[in-house]
Amino acid sequence: AFATYQELQRQWRCFDRMDACFHVVRQLQLQTYRGPPIHSVAVDEVQDLAQLELALFFLVSPRPFDGLFITGDTSQTVSRSVDFRFCDLRSIFTHFKVPP
């Protein structure tokens, strides 16, 4: 089924949110963020985001340890494609070396 999905994306020249997110992450790995300064970010409904989407906030925030405010409720997950767990969020903080 996924191979068919990817083939249709290719034929129709479409992309989904993970494709877009992956593209942005790859660009940020090649060159640092040079957009408007981001002083703080508030993310609500974090349980509806994939880890890759959450990583974007860490990549564009100069100080995620004090400029990132994240809230969510695991009993309210509405995105079927995301199997969110708060321990996954903790692993992103660890990966980006953000102190507790």
Side-chain angles (χ1 to χ4, degrees):
F2 186 68
T4 302
Y5 173 74
Q6 287 185 313
E7 179 58 25
L8 288 173
Q9 276 186 305
R10 188 189 63 74
Q11 288 175 11
W12 296 341
R13 296 182 182 164
C14 297
F15 57 90
D16 60 22
R17 77 183 214 210
M18 287 299 104
D19 295 329
C21 192
F22 183 72
H23 175 76
V24 172
V25 168
R26 294 293 294 160
Q27 293 304 306
L28 289 171
Q29 288 174 334
L30 295 173
Q31 59 185 350
T32 58
Y33 175 73
R34 294 183 293 184
I38 298 174
H39 304 289
S40 60
V41 175
V43 181
D44 191 15
E45 305 297 342
V46 69
Q47 73 275 3
D48 294 326
L49 299 176
Q51 283 187 322
L52 184 61
E53 293 169 304
L54 290 169
L56 281 176
F57 296 114
F58 289 87
L59 291 171
V60 300
S61 178
R63 296 177 12 203
F65 50 86
D66 67 357
L68 192 55
F69 182 76
I70 299 173
T71 64
D73 184 347
T74 56
S75 64
Q76 292 183 357
T77 301
V78 296
S79 181
R80 292 181 189 160
S81 62
V82 176
D83 187 21
F84 181 83
R85 297 176 311 171
F86 275 95
C87 62
D88 294 336
L89 180 59
R90 185 175 294 133
S91 71
I92 294 173
F93 276 84
T94 302
H95 176 78
F96 285 97
K97 298 175 178 59
V98 177

